[in-house]
Amino acid sequence: MTGNEQNPSKWLAAEKKYDSGVYNKHDVVMVRGQGATVWDENGRSYIDCVVGYGVATLGHSHPDVVKAVQEQAGKLMVMPQTVPNDKRAEFLQELVGVLPQGLDRVFLCNSGTEAMEAAKKFAITATGRSRFVSMKRGFSGRSLGALSFTWEPKYREPFGDAVDNKSVDFVTYGNLDELRAAVTEQTAAVIMEPVQGEGGVRPASAEFIQEARRITREKGALLILDEIQTGFCRTGKMFACEHFGVIPDGMTLAKAIAGGTPTAAFAMMSEVADRMPAGGHGTTFGGNPLSMAAGVASLRAMKREGLAEQAREKGAYMMDKLRAIQSPKIREVRGLGLMIGVELKEKSAPYIHAMEHDEGVLCLAATPLVVRFLPPAVISKEQIDQVVAAFERVLN
Ligand SMILES: Cc1[nH+]cc(COP(=O)(O)O)c(CN[C@@H](CCC(=O)O)C(=O)O)c1O
């Protein structure tokens, strides 16, 4: 068990008492992390295959990131983007240096949903159009603009018409005929994840993404790839689009972008950026020097440690081990790199709970039937073996 029933945590009580109530809180208080391991307030360790929903791909508290944040915190933490800053400039250079060719203009912000909001506004000004095509099972964020691209009705319905559902056509992920029918001369952009994450860990086919690239060019629409979860080595490449040989007109980025600090971006072609009126968008915290320092350290560490190759190799290893589990409860093991989903023939929640409480492994859901594993690319083979053995035990 993780909670301390005799001496309930004062931190747990306080957080549950004052929180907004939107989250289904675990009964454990995590206080420290290093690499692929986190510890709760009672000193129990866990192998973390959630890492903040795919944020700490570089591992918790990477020493380079910690050092960079400590130094920048003592130098300059706050400077709005109207005023240039050395760290921000350095991060932009590092980021554009790893982005696909041509994506060399960047709107910096603070979360994935904000990046998607920016993408929506830039697409409208770049094309003069306001219709969009998004994907069934797609997840683009929770703000009202991003929510219009997010498929799952339970996320949209409580907000009624405040969510613009009228100007978005949803197509079945992977269905070429639906895609071709939906993209027209009124379409501003097609929005899609190269691998659907929250929607069940579903890699796209190369054919589907390549057709999205072709048809958007033909119709004068933008292709915007949502790499908020797939970006920054998660799938075995720096960006998942590299697996498919496709360069989009824009790419939303967040999660693993800056060493765990709340940072995001909409990266785009100059032709897209140049059509936004000056002052047409903005953010207070975006591009703050503290996050930028973490981002510079993180991107350099990813390159130096060959993190994409680590994710590719360890992801293949982990999926092989998961596929070797002989269990009638498993329908399919799928994914790309270290973005892994195990679809069960029954609800996954009890097994995810047992992994945490009985086995000391953190994993998460991606739709009610899928167990999602998002380990950090610094995870060891031994830790992977422990995770797989634990999963086999909870299934049996
Ligand atoms: C592909 C994708 N796009 C956009 C977002 C929104 O990013 P942000 O505003 O920084 O949360 C997320 C969050 N993905 C997590 C959902 C979080 C939630 O439930 O809300 C996830 O995959 O679990 C994505 O995975």
Side-chain angles (χ1 to χ4, degrees), residues 11 38 68 108 223 245 267 297 329 336 346 353-354 357 359 364 383:
W11 305 127
V38 291
L108 292 166
L223 175 61
K329 296 176 182 175
L336 192 57
E346 55 190 271
H353 186 271
H357 281 254
E359 299 289 345
L364 72 166
Q383 288 171 315

Side-chain angles (χ1 to χ4, degrees), residues 21-37:
V22 296
Y23 296 104
N24 175 20
K25 294 279 182 188
H26 294 215
D27 59 3
V28 65
V29 177
M30 296 299 181
V31 297
R32 185 165 69 90
Q34 191 64 50
T37 307

Side-chain angles (χ1 to χ4, degrees), residues 23 52-55 110-116 138-143 146 150 155 193 195-199 226-230 252 254-255 263-264 339 364-366 372 374:
Y23 296 104
Y53 304 154
V55 169
N110 314 284
S111 67
T113 207
E114 284 181 65
M116 195 48 75
F139 187 95
S140 295
R142 306 275 198 141
S143 55
T150 297
Y155 295 137
E193 301 155 82
V195 181
Q196 291 192 318
E198 201 263 356
D226 180 348
E227 293 238 25
I228 288 163
Q229 182 163 165
T230 55
T252 48
K255 293 187 192 284
T263 305
M339 188 169 172
L364 72 166
R372 185 173 21 158
L374 297 174

